[in-house]
Amino acid sequence: MVRAMVGAFAAAALAVAAGARGAAEDGPKWDWGSGDSGPNGWAANFPDCGGKSQSPIDIVPELTSDPANLTVLGDMVNYSDEASFDVSQAYGSPKFSCSEAGTCGSVAAPDGTTYEVLQFHFHAPSENTINGMAYPLEMHIVHQNENGDLGVIGVLFTTEDVPDSDEAVAPLWKKVDATEGTIKANLNNFVNPESGFFSWQGSLTTPPCTEGLQWVLQKETVPISPAARNAFWNYIGGFPGSARPTMPLNGRIVTANGFPTPASRG
């Protein structure tokens, strides 16, 4: 991830750590519905939600830019083979927070800055879309550097005929309703080091919608069984799910398999 994460100040980092996906629960109320407290009304109480560099987005691969510094995720990601994550609940779905800082893995930015894994969570359906198509599930792995700057790696899931026992996500759903406890997880089961990725400047996808985050979306999808998909969907209550609608690019550049130079960023 690049140094452009600067601007996602430590306050946003604390919000993500406390609420998995944004604002503190004792602040203004928000939800996923179609009313005033839903995504279409968030900007009334959270002004950043009306900003010009919001996430999620719809990605049109044919319109992405190919930067000079082409790479794959394996050149940046260094995740632990097994790490402990504390389970909690935030805004109707589980959050998995790294139990001990610095033990869950990291991402190395091209400038040498290190972003440690903070937590991961899921949205259903996916928040980011490809050519207008949403996927059944999206994982967000949230990272933070020593200055409190944030970056997110997103992973899309496809529903396929795979046995529950063979898929990486299945053990997580055994804790889908847990309010406490610890699970073991290997993030390498989700992030493919050989995969390319899309990248852009964006925001938190929920209130307070703070901008200045570097987003990375893995190109390779991860298979998930219908049973595991349904376990999560049934728990969050189905429609409308937990996904913010995609936001306008407003001139932002989406790159493929690399990061834009500062002069080329939108």
Side-chain angles (χ1 to χ4, degrees):
M1 294 183 184
V2 293
R3 191 62 180 173
M5 291 180 180
V6 175
F9 2 91
L14 293 174
V16 173
R21 297 199 292 260
E25 296 201 47
D26 58 356
K29 301 302 181 183
W30 60 267
D31 56 40
W32 304 103
S34 58
D36 291 342
S37 57
N40 291 334
W42 287 351
N45 290 318
F46 306 96
D48 286 354
C49 295
K52 299 297 185 181
S53 298
Q54 290 288 291
S55 296
I57 63 170
D58 178 48
I59 297 169
V60 180
E62 294 77 10
L63 299 180
T64 59
S65 172
D66 293 327
N69 55 340
L70 296 178
T71 186
V72 293
L73 286 174
D75 293 334
M76 303 180 294
V77 173
N78 181 24
Y79 289 151
S80 304
D81 288 338
E82 186 178 74
S84 296
F85 293 86
D86 297 329
V87 187
S88 60
Q89 298 290 318
Y91 296 96
S93 64
K95 176 185 70 171
F96 304 88
S97 301
C98 185
S99 299
E100 183 179 351
T103 64
C104 296
S106 62
V107 171
D111 66 358
T113 308
T114 299
Y115 292 81
E116 300 285 350
V117 173
L118 181 66
Q119 53 103 329
F120 65 90
H121 58 268
F122 296 84
H123 293 265
S126 71
E127 295 200 296
N128 295 296
T129 60
I130 307 294
N131 286 324
M133 185 183 81
Y135 288 72
L137 192 70
E138 182 174 355
M139 179 184 196
H140 289 168
I141 307 173
V142 183
H143 307 74
Q144 182 180 10
N145 72 6
E146 61 182 7
N147 297 321
D149 307 321
L150 299 176
V152 180
I153 291 181
V155 180
L156 300 173
F157 292 78
T158 53
T159 305
E160 299 180 24
D161 186 17
V162 293
D164 290 351
S165 59
D166 291 345
E167 61 179 344
V169 76
L172 305 180
W173 297 154
K174 295 178 181 178
K175 296 284 188 178
V176 68
D177 59 350
T179 57
E180 59 183 15
T182 301
I183 58 100
K184 298 286 188 179
N186 183 353
L187 296 179
N188 295 302
N189 290 332
F190 303 99
V191 175
N192 181 352
E194 302 301 321
S195 177
F197 57 91
F198 300 107
S199 182
W200 67 97
Q201 289 289 298
S203 71
L204 298 175
T205 64
T206 58
C209 307
T210 309
E211 296 182 343
L213 276 70
Q214 180 68 47
W215 272 86
V216 169
L217 184 68
Q218 178 172 273
K219 285 186 176 182
E220 296 296 324
T221 60
V222 175
I224 184 174
S225 72
R229 176 203 62 200
N230 291 342
F232 188 76
W233 270 98
N234 291 341
Y235 179 68
I236 68 172
F239 186 84
S242 59
R244 185 188 193 187
T246 56
M247 307 302 291
L249 281 176
N250 293 320
R252 283 177 288 169
I253 295 172
V254 179
T255 57
N257 309 320
F259 301 96
T261 59
S264 65
R265 292 191 187 107

mmCIF file with all atom_site columns, all heavy atoms in Angstrom, residues 11 24 27 33 61 67 77 88 94 110 128 144 147 172 181 183 185 191-192 195-196 211 228 231 236 242 246 263-264:
data_model
loop_
_atom_site.group_PDB
_atom_site.id
_atom_site.type_symbol
_atom_site.label_atom_id
_atom_site.label_alt_id
_atom_site.label_comp_id
_atom_site.label_asym_id
_atom_site.label_entity_id
_atom_site.label_seq_id
_atom_site.pdbx_PDB_ins_code
_atom_site.Cartn_x
_atom_site.Cartn_y
_atom_site.Cartn_z
_atom_site.occupancy
_atom_site.B_iso_or_equiv
_atom_site.pdbx_formal_charge
_atom_site.auth_seq_id
_atom_site.auth_comp_id
_atom_site.auth_asym_id
_atom_site.auth_atom_id
_atom_site.pdbx_PDB_model_num
ATOM 1   N N   . ALA A 1 11  ? -8.417  9.142   14.418  1.00 0.00 ? 11  ALA A N   1
ATOM 2   C CA  . ALA A 1 11  ? -9.799  9.060   14.882  1.00 0.00 ? 11  ALA A CA  1
ATOM 3   C C   . ALA A 1 11  ? -10.585 8.037   14.082  1.00 0.00 ? 11  ALA A C   1
ATOM 4   O O   . ALA A 1 11  ? -11.406 7.291   14.617  1.00 0.00 ? 11  ALA A O   1
ATOM 5   C CB  . ALA A 1 11  ? -10.470 10.430  14.770  1.00 0.00 ? 11  ALA A CB  1
ATOM 6   N N   . ALA A 1 24  ? -19.037 5.120   16.298  1.00 0.00 ? 24  ALA A N   1
ATOM 7   C CA  . ALA A 1 24  ? -19.339 4.559   17.601  1.00 0.00 ? 24  ALA A CA  1
ATOM 8   C C   . ALA A 1 24  ? -20.842 4.387   17.739  1.00 0.00 ? 24  ALA A C   1
ATOM 9   O O   . ALA A 1 24  ? -21.622 5.203   17.273  1.00 0.00 ? 24  ALA A O   1
ATOM 10  C CB  . ALA A 1 24  ? -18.808 5.497   18.693  1.00 0.00 ? 24  ALA A CB  1
ATOM 11  N N   . GLY A 1 27  ? -23.221 7.203   19.002  1.00 0.00 ? 27  GLY A N   1
ATOM 12  C CA  . GLY A 1 27  ? -23.377 8.413   18.216  1.00 0.00 ? 27  GLY A CA  1
ATOM 13  C C   . GLY A 1 27  ? -24.695 8.401   17.459  1.00 0.00 ? 27  GLY A C   1
ATOM 14  O O   . GLY A 1 27  ? -25.610 7.639   17.780  1.00 0.00 ? 27  GLY A O   1
ATOM 15  N N   . GLY A 1 33  ? -31.157 0.435   5.909   1.00 0.00 ? 33  GLY A N   1
ATOM 16  C CA  . GLY A 1 33  ? -32.465 0.519   5.267   1.00 0.00 ? 33  GLY A CA  1
ATOM 17  C C   . GLY A 1 33  ? -32.595 1.668   4.285   1.00 0.00 ? 33  GLY A C   1
ATOM 18  O O   . GLY A 1 33  ? -31.637 2.399   3.998   1.00 0.00 ? 33  GLY A O   1
ATOM 19  N N   . PRO A 1 61  ? -13.183 -3.129  -15.382 1.00 0.00 ? 61  PRO A N   1
ATOM 20  C CA  . PRO A 1 61  ? -11.784 -3.474  -15.657 1.00 0.00 ? 61  PRO A CA  1
ATOM 21  C C   . PRO A 1 61  ? -11.227 -2.851  -16.922 1.00 0.00 ? 61  PRO A C   1
ATOM 22  O O   . PRO A 1 61  ? -10.043 -2.481  -16.970 1.00 0.00 ? 61  PRO A O   1
ATOM 23  C CB  . PRO A 1 61  ? -11.814 -5.005  -15.746 1.00 0.00 ? 61  PRO A CB  1
ATOM 24  C CG  . PRO A 1 61  ? -12.952 -5.397  -14.845 1.00 0.00 ? 61  PRO A CG  1
ATOM 25  C CD  . PRO A 1 61  ? -13.990 -4.327  -15.060 1.00 0.00 ? 61  PRO A CD  1
ATOM 26  N N   . PRO A 1 67  ? -0.441  0.975   -14.138 1.00 0.00 ? 67  PRO A N   1
ATOM 27  C CA  . PRO A 1 67  ? 0.718   1.782   -13.738 1.00 0.00 ? 67  PRO A CA  1
ATOM 28  C C   . PRO A 1 67  ? 2.027   1.105   -14.108 1.00 0.00 ? 67  PRO A C   1
ATOM 29  O O   . PRO A 1 67  ? 2.058   -0.069  -14.483 1.00 0.00 ? 67  PRO A O   1
ATOM 30  C CB  . PRO A 1 67  ? 0.556   1.887   -12.214 1.00 0.00 ? 67  PRO A CB  1
ATOM 31  C CG  . PRO A 1 67  ? -0.158  0.624   -11.851 1.00 0.00 ? 67  PRO A CG  1
ATOM 32  C CD  . PRO A 1 67  ? -1.086  0.321   -13.007 1.00 0.00 ? 67  PRO A CD  1
ATOM 33  N N   . VAL A 1 77  ? 1.980   -8.566  0.771   1.00 0.00 ? 77  VAL A N   1
ATOM 34  C CA  . VAL A 1 77  ? 1.308   -9.168  1.918   1.00 0.00 ? 77  VAL A CA  1
ATOM 35  C C   . VAL A 1 77  ? 2.196   -10.175 2.632   1.00 0.00 ? 77  VAL A C   1
ATOM 36  O O   . VAL A 1 77  ? 2.846   -11.010 2.005   1.00 0.00 ? 77  VAL A O   1
ATOM 37  C CB  . VAL A 1 77  ? -0.002  -9.851  1.457   1.00 0.00 ? 77  VAL A CB  1
ATOM 38  C CG1 . VAL A 1 77  ? -0.639  -10.634 2.589   1.00 0.00 ? 77  VAL A CG1 1
ATOM 39  C CG2 . VAL A 1 77  ? -0.971  -8.803  0.931   1.00 0.00 ? 77  VAL A CG2 1
ATOM 40  N N   . SER A 1 88  ? -16.391 -10.316 18.211  1.00 0.00 ? 88  SER A N   1
ATOM 41  C CA  . SER A 1 88  ? -17.367 -9.420  18.831  1.00 0.00 ? 88  SER A CA  1
ATOM 42  C C   . SER A 1 88  ? -18.445 -9.114  17.795  1.00 0.00 ? 88  SER A C   1
ATOM 43  O O   . SER A 1 88  ? -18.401 -9.618  16.669  1.00 0.00 ? 88  SER A O   1
ATOM 44  C CB  . SER A 1 88  ? -16.704 -8.138  19.336  1.00 0.00 ? 88  SER A CB  1
ATOM 45  O OG  . SER A 1 88  ? -16.092 -7.435  18.261  1.00 0.00 ? 88  SER A OG  1
ATOM 46  N N   . PRO A 1 94  ? -20.618 -10.099 12.796  1.00 0.00 ? 94  PRO A N   1
ATOM 47  C CA  . PRO A 1 94  ? -19.398 -10.338 13.577  1.00 0.00 ? 94  PRO A CA  1
ATOM 48  C C   . PRO A 1 94  ? -18.193 -9.566  13.060  1.00 0.00 ? 94  PRO A C   1
ATOM 49  O O   . PRO A 1 94  ? -18.062 -9.289  11.879  1.00 0.00 ? 94  PRO A O   1
ATOM 50  C CB  . PRO A 1 94  ? -19.184 -11.847 13.423  1.00 0.00 ? 94  PRO A CB  1
ATOM 51  C CG  . PRO A 1 94  ? -19.811 -12.178 12.106  1.00 0.00 ? 94  PRO A CG  1
ATOM 52  C CD  . PRO A 1 94  ? -20.994 -11.275 11.997  1.00 0.00 ? 94  PRO A CD  1
ATOM 53  N N   . PRO A 1 110 ? 5.155   0.233   -0.770  1.00 0.00 ? 110 PRO A N   1
ATOM 54  C CA  . PRO A 1 110 ? 6.349   0.407   -1.602  1.00 0.00 ? 110 PRO A CA  1
ATOM 55  C C   . PRO A 1 110 ? 7.400   1.314   -0.977  1.00 0.00 ? 110 PRO A C   1
ATOM 56  O O   . PRO A 1 110 ? 8.589   1.170   -1.256  1.00 0.00 ? 110 PRO A O   1
ATOM 57  C CB  . PRO A 1 110 ? 5.778   1.008   -2.892  1.00 0.00 ? 110 PRO A CB  1
ATOM 58  C CG  . PRO A 1 110 ? 4.382   0.506   -2.953  1.00 0.00 ? 110 PRO A CG  1
ATOM 59  C CD  . PRO A 1 110 ? 3.911   0.481   -1.528  1.00 0.00 ? 110 PRO A CD  1
ATOM 60  N N   . ASN A 1 128 ? -18.217 -3.519  -3.091  1.00 0.00 ? 128 ASN A N   1
ATOM 61  C CA  . ASN A 1 128 ? -17.628 -3.214  -4.393  1.00 0.00 ? 128 ASN A CA  1
ATOM 62  C C   . ASN A 1 128 ? -18.202 -4.169  -5.432  1.00 0.00 ? 128 ASN A C   1
ATOM 63  O O   . ASN A 1 128 ? -18.480 -5.337  -5.141  1.00 0.00 ? 128 ASN A O   1
ATOM 64  C CB  . ASN A 1 128 ? -16.111 -3.352  -4.317  1.00 0.00 ? 128 ASN A CB  1
ATOM 65  C CG  . ASN A 1 128 ? -15.493 -2.320  -3.393  1.00 0.00 ? 128 ASN A CG  1
ATOM 66  O OD1 . ASN A 1 128 ? -15.563 -1.123  -3.650  1.00 0.00 ? 128 ASN A OD1 1
ATOM 67  N ND2 . ASN A 1 128 ? -14.890 -2.781  -2.293  1.00 0.00 ? 128 ASN A ND2 1
ATOM 68  N N   . GLN A 1 144 ? -3.586  -1.030  9.703   1.00 0.00 ? 144 GLN A N   1
ATOM 69  C CA  . GLN A 1 144 ? -3.287  0.262   10.313  1.00 0.00 ? 144 GLN A CA  1
ATOM 70  C C   . GLN A 1 144 ? -1.784  0.385   10.524  1.00 0.00 ? 144 GLN A C   1
ATOM 71  O O   . GLN A 1 144 ? -1.129  -0.575  10.936  1.00 0.00 ? 144 GLN A O   1
ATOM 72  C CB  . GLN A 1 144 ? -4.008  0.374   11.659  1.00 0.00 ? 144 GLN A CB  1
ATOM 73  C CG  . GLN A 1 144 ? -3.814  1.680   12.385  1.00 0.00 ? 144 GLN A CG  1
ATOM 74  C CD  . GLN A 1 144 ? -4.557  1.703   13.720  1.00 0.00 ? 144 GLN A CD  1
ATOM 75  O OE1 . GLN A 1 144 ? -5.055  0.670   14.182  1.00 0.00 ? 144 GLN A OE1 1
ATOM 76  N NE2 . GLN A 1 144 ? -4.631  2.856   14.335  1.00 0.00 ? 144 GLN A NE2 1
ATOM 77  N N   . ASN A 1 147 ? 1.043   5.410   12.547  1.00 0.00 ? 147 ASN A N   1
ATOM 78  C CA  . ASN A 1 147 ? 0.467   6.751   12.601  1.00 0.00 ? 147 ASN A CA  1
ATOM 79  C C   . ASN A 1 147 ? -1.054  6.744   12.653  1.00 0.00 ? 147 ASN A C   1
ATOM 80  O O   . ASN A 1 147 ? -1.680  7.799   12.701  1.00 0.00 ? 147 ASN A O   1
ATOM 81  C CB  . ASN A 1 147 ? 0.921   7.572   11.392  1.00 0.00 ? 147 ASN A CB  1
ATOM 82  C CG  . ASN A 1 147 ? 2.419   7.783   11.368  1.00 0.00 ? 147 ASN A CG  1
ATOM 83  O OD1 . ASN A 1 147 ? 3.041   7.997   12.408  1.00 0.00 ? 147 ASN A OD1 1
ATOM 84  N ND2 . ASN A 1 147 ? 3.008   7.700   10.185  1.00 0.00 ? 147 ASN A ND2 1
ATOM 85  N N   . LEU A 1 172 ? -15.332 -19.706 10.605  1.00 0.00 ? 172 LEU A N   1
ATOM 86  C CA  . LEU A 1 172 ? -15.712 -18.395 11.110  1.00 0.00 ? 172 LEU A CA  1
ATOM 87  C C   . LEU A 1 172 ? -17.193 -18.332 11.425  1.00 0.00 ? 172 LEU A C   1
ATOM 88  O O   . LEU A 1 172 ? -17.611 -17.664 12.373  1.00 0.00 ? 172 LEU A O   1
ATOM 89  C CB  . LEU A 1 172 ? -15.339 -17.312 10.096  1.00 0.00 ? 172 LEU A CB  1
ATOM 90  C CG  . LEU A 1 172 ? -13.884 -17.267 9.648   1.00 0.00 ? 172 LEU A CG  1
ATOM 91  C CD1 . LEU A 1 172 ? -13.677 -16.139 8.652   1.00 0.00 ? 172 LEU A CD1 1
ATOM 92  C CD2 . LEU A 1 172 ? -12.955 -17.103 10.843  1.00 0.00 ? 172 LEU A CD2 1
ATOM 93  N N   . GLY A 1 181 ? -15.052 -14.370 22.773  1.00 0.00 ? 181 GLY A N   1
ATOM 94  C CA  . GLY A 1 181 ? -14.355 -15.592 22.401  1.00 0.00 ? 181 GLY A CA  1
ATOM 95  C C   . GLY A 1 181 ? -13.257 -15.321 21.399  1.00 0.00 ? 181 GLY A C   1
ATOM 96  O O   . GLY A 1 181 ? -13.086 -14.193 20.914  1.00 0.00 ? 181 GLY A O   1
ATOM 97  N N   . ILE A 1 183 ? -11.010 -17.048 17.916  1.00 0.00 ? 183 ILE A N   1
ATOM 98  C CA  . ILE A 1 183 ? -10.898 -18.066 16.875  1.00 0.00 ? 183 ILE A CA  1
ATOM 99  C C   . ILE A 1 183 ? -9.498  -17.989 16.267  1.00 0.00 ? 183 ILE A C   1
ATOM 100 O O   . ILE A 1 183 ? -8.810  -16.966 16.361  1.00 0.00 ? 183 ILE A O   1
ATOM 101 C CB  . ILE A 1 183 ? -11.971 -17.907 15.774  1.00 0.00 ? 183 ILE A CB  1
ATOM 102 C CG1 . ILE A 1 183 ? -11.888 -16.514 15.109  1.00 0.00 ? 183 ILE A CG1 1
ATOM 103 C CG2 . ILE A 1 183 ? -13.359 -18.143 16.333  1.00 0.00 ? 183 ILE A CG2 1
ATOM 104 C CD1 . ILE A 1 183 ? -11.169 -16.514 13.809  1.00 0.00 ? 183 ILE A CD1 1
ATOM 105 N N   . ALA A 1 185 ? -7.450  -18.139 12.700  1.00 0.00 ? 185 ALA A N   1
ATOM 106 C CA  . ALA A 1 185 ? -7.712  -17.946 11.280  1.00 0.00 ? 185 ALA A CA  1
ATOM 107 C C   . ALA A 1 185 ? -6.399  -17.712 10.542  1.00 0.00 ? 185 ALA A C   1
ATOM 108 O O   . ALA A 1 185 ? -5.462  -17.120 11.089  1.00 0.00 ? 185 ALA A O   1
ATOM 109 C CB  . ALA A 1 185 ? -8.662  -16.771 11.056  1.00 0.00 ? 185 ALA A CB  1
ATOM 110 N N   . VAL A 1 191 ? -6.394  -14.523 0.836   1.00 0.00 ? 191 VAL A N   1
ATOM 111 C CA  . VAL A 1 191 ? -5.617  -13.655 -0.052  1.00 0.00 ? 191 VAL A CA  1
ATOM 112 C C   . VAL A 1 191 ? -4.642  -14.506 -0.852  1.00 0.00 ? 191 VAL A C   1
ATOM 113 O O   . VAL A 1 191 ? -3.792  -15.198 -0.294  1.00 0.00 ? 191 VAL A O   1
ATOM 114 C CB  . VAL A 1 191 ? -4.874  -12.581 0.756   1.00 0.00 ? 191 VAL A CB  1
ATOM 115 C CG1 . VAL A 1 191 ? -3.961  -11.765 -0.156  1.00 0.00 ? 191 VAL A CG1 1
ATOM 116 C CG2 . VAL A 1 191 ? -5.869  -11.666 1.456   1.00 0.00 ? 191 VAL A CG2 1
ATOM 117 N N   . ASN A 1 192 ? -4.786  -14.458 -2.169  1.00 0.00 ? 192 ASN A N   1
ATOM 118 C CA  . ASN A 1 192 ? -3.955  -15.233 -3.080  1.00 0.00 ? 192 ASN A CA  1
ATOM 119 C C   . ASN A 1 192 ? -2.720  -14.419 -3.465  1.00 0.00 ? 192 ASN A C   1
ATOM 120 O O   . ASN A 1 192 ? -2.839  -13.383 -4.114  1.00 0.00 ? 192 ASN A O   1
ATOM 121 C CB  . ASN A 1 192 ? -4.760  -15.600 -4.325  1.00 0.00 ? 192 ASN A CB  1
ATOM 122 C CG  . ASN A 1 192 ? -3.977  -16.432 -5.328  1.00 0.00 ? 192 ASN A CG  1
ATOM 123 O OD1 . ASN A 1 192 ? -2.767  -16.627 -5.190  1.00 0.00 ? 192 ASN A OD1 1
ATOM 124 N ND2 . ASN A 1 192 ? -4.652  -16.925 -6.340  1.00 0.00 ? 192 ASN A ND2 1
ATOM 125 N N   . SER A 1 195 ? -2.379  -13.315 -7.068  1.00 0.00 ? 195 SER A N   1
ATOM 126 C CA  . SER A 1 195 ? -3.467  -12.544 -7.673  1.00 0.00 ? 195 SER A CA  1
ATOM 127 C C   . SER A 1 195 ? -3.070  -11.106 -7.946  1.00 0.00 ? 195 SER A C   1
ATOM 128 O O   . SER A 1 195 ? -2.346  -10.475 -7.169  1.00 0.00 ? 195 SER A O   1
ATOM 129 C CB  . SER A 1 195 ? -4.697  -12.565 -6.756  1.00 0.00 ? 195 SER A CB  1
ATOM 130 O OG  . SER A 1 195 ? -5.739  -11.768 -7.296  1.00 0.00 ? 195 SER A OG  1
ATOM 131 N N   . GLY A 1 196 ? -3.587  -10.582 -9.039  1.00 0.00 ? 196 GLY A N   1
ATOM 132 C CA  . GLY A 1 196 ? -3.542  -9.154  -9.276  1.00 0.00 ? 196 GLY A CA  1
ATOM 133 C C   . GLY A 1 196 ? -4.605  -8.470  -8.437  1.00 0.00 ? 196 GLY A C   1
ATOM 134 O O   . GLY A 1 196 ? -5.334  -9.116  -7.665  1.00 0.00 ? 196 GLY A O   1
ATOM 135 N N   . GLU A 1 211 ? -12.521 9.761   4.512   1.00 0.00 ? 211 GLU A N   1
ATOM 136 C CA  . GLU A 1 211 ? -11.790 9.552   3.274   1.00 0.00 ? 211 GLU A CA  1
ATOM 137 C C   . GLU A 1 211 ? -10.292 9.477   3.534   1.00 0.00 ? 211 GLU A C   1
ATOM 138 O O   . GLU A 1 211 ? -9.815  9.713   4.636   1.00 0.00 ? 211 GLU A O   1
ATOM 139 C CB  . GLU A 1 211 ? -12.129 10.661  2.274   1.00 0.00 ? 211 GLU A CB  1
ATOM 140 C CG  . GLU A 1 211 ? -13.603 10.640  1.865   1.00 0.00 ? 211 GLU A CG  1
ATOM 141 C CD  . GLU A 1 211 ? -13.969 11.695  0.845   1.00 0.00 ? 211 GLU A CD  1
ATOM 142 O OE1 . GLU A 1 211 ? -13.195 12.669  0.668   1.00 0.00 ? 211 GLU A OE1 1
ATOM 143 O OE2 . GLU A 1 211 ? -15.034 11.548  0.215   1.00 0.00 ? 211 GLU A OE2 1
ATOM 144 N N   . ALA A 1 228 ? -22.468 -22.018 3.913   1.00 0.00 ? 228 ALA A N   1
ATOM 145 C CA  . ALA A 1 228 ? -21.743 -20.951 4.609   1.00 0.00 ? 228 ALA A CA  1
ATOM 146 C C   . ALA A 1 228 ? -22.303 -19.583 4.250   1.00 0.00 ? 228 ALA A C   1
ATOM 147 O O   . ALA A 1 228 ? -22.446 -18.710 5.107   1.00 0.00 ? 228 ALA A O   1
ATOM 148 C CB  . ALA A 1 228 ? -20.257 -21.023 4.280   1.00 0.00 ? 228 ALA A CB  1
ATOM 149 N N   . ALA A 1 231 ? -25.483 -19.136 6.159   1.00 0.00 ? 231 ALA A N   1
ATOM 150 C CA  . ALA A 1 231 ? -25.277 -18.933 7.590   1.00 0.00 ? 231 ALA A CA  1
ATOM 151 C C   . ALA A 1 231 ? -25.101 -17.450 7.899   1.00 0.00 ? 231 ALA A C   1
ATOM 152 O O   . ALA A 1 231 ? -25.648 -16.932 8.875   1.00 0.00 ? 231 ALA A O   1
ATOM 153 C CB  . ALA A 1 231 ? -24.070 -19.726 8.066   1.00 0.00 ? 231 ALA A CB  1
ATOM 154 N N   . ILE A 1 236 ? -27.566 -12.002 9.483   1.00 0.00 ? 236 ILE A N   1
ATOM 155 C CA  . ILE A 1 236 ? -27.733 -10.553 9.357   1.00 0.00 ? 236 ILE A CA  1
ATOM 156 C C   . ILE A 1 236 ? -29.147 -10.167 8.950   1.00 0.00 ? 236 ILE A C   1
ATOM 157 O O   . ILE A 1 236 ? -29.503 -8.996  8.956   1.00 0.00 ? 236 ILE A O   1
ATOM 158 C CB  . ILE A 1 236 ? -26.723 -9.938  8.358   1.00 0.00 ? 236 ILE A CB  1
ATOM 159 C CG1 . ILE A 1 236 ? -27.010 -10.396 6.929   1.00 0.00 ? 236 ILE A CG1 1
ATOM 160 C CG2 . ILE A 1 236 ? -25.299 -10.246 8.771   1.00 0.00 ? 236 ILE A CG2 1
ATOM 161 C CD1 . ILE A 1 236 ? -26.171 -9.663  5.893   1.00 0.00 ? 236 ILE A CD1 1
ATOM 162 N N   . SER A 1 242 ? -25.940 -5.818  4.185   1.00 0.00 ? 242 SER A N   1
ATOM 163 C CA  . SER A 1 242 ? -25.053 -4.889  4.901   1.00 0.00 ? 242 SER A CA  1
ATOM 164 C C   . SER A 1 242 ? -24.074 -4.242  3.932   1.00 0.00 ? 242 SER A C   1
ATOM 165 O O   . SER A 1 242 ? -22.878 -4.171  4.195   1.00 0.00 ? 242 SER A O   1
ATOM 166 C CB  . SER A 1 242 ? -24.283 -5.631  6.004   1.00 0.00 ? 242 SER A CB  1
ATOM 167 O OG  . SER A 1 242 ? -23.504 -6.688  5.452   1.00 0.00 ? 242 SER A OG  1
ATOM 168 N N   . THR A 1 246 ? -22.802 1.519   -4.408  1.00 0.00 ? 246 THR A N   1
ATOM 169 C CA  . THR A 1 246 ? -21.565 2.062   -4.963  1.00 0.00 ? 246 THR A CA  1
ATOM 170 C C   . THR A 1 246 ? -21.681 3.568   -5.165  1.00 0.00 ? 246 THR A C   1
ATOM 171 O O   . THR A 1 246 ? -22.756 4.110   -5.406  1.00 0.00 ? 246 THR A O   1
ATOM 172 C CB  . THR A 1 246 ? -21.214 1.386   -6.292  1.00 0.00 ? 246 THR A CB  1
ATOM 173 O OG1 . THR A 1 246 ? -22.308 1.522   -7.203  1.00 0.00 ? 246 THR A OG1 1
ATOM 174 C CG2 . THR A 1 246 ? -20.917 -0.091  -6.081  1.00 0.00 ? 246 THR A CG2 1
ATOM 175 N N   . ALA A 1 263 ? 1.428   12.100  -9.180  1.00 0.00 ? 263 ALA A N   1
ATOM 176 C CA  . ALA A 1 263 ? 0.985   13.075  -10.197 1.00 0.00 ? 263 ALA A CA  1
ATOM 177 C C   . ALA A 1 263 ? -0.220  12.572  -10.974 1.00 0.00 ? 263 ALA A C   1
ATOM 178 O O   . ALA A 1 263 ? -0.940  13.356  -11.569 1.00 0.00 ? 263 ALA A O   1
ATOM 179 C CB  . ALA A 1 263 ? 2.133   13.363  -11.155 1.00 0.00 ? 263 ALA A CB  1
ATOM 180 N N   . SER A 1 264 ? -0.466  11.245  -10.981 1.00 0.00 ? 264 SER A N   1
ATOM 181 C CA  . SER A 1 264 ? -1.536  10.709  -11.806 1.00 0.00 ? 264 SER A CA  1
ATOM 182 C C   . SER A 1 264 ? -2.798  10.409  -11.024 1.00 0.00 ? 264 SER A C   1
ATOM 183 O O   . SER A 1 264 ? -3.764  9.954   -11.583 1.00 0.00 ? 264 SER A O   1
ATOM 184 C CB  . SER A 1 264 ? -1.066  9.414   -12.500 1.00 0.00 ? 264 SER A CB  1
ATOM 185 O OG  . SER A 1 264 ? -0.808  8.393   -11.543 1.00 0.00 ? 264 SER A OG  1
#
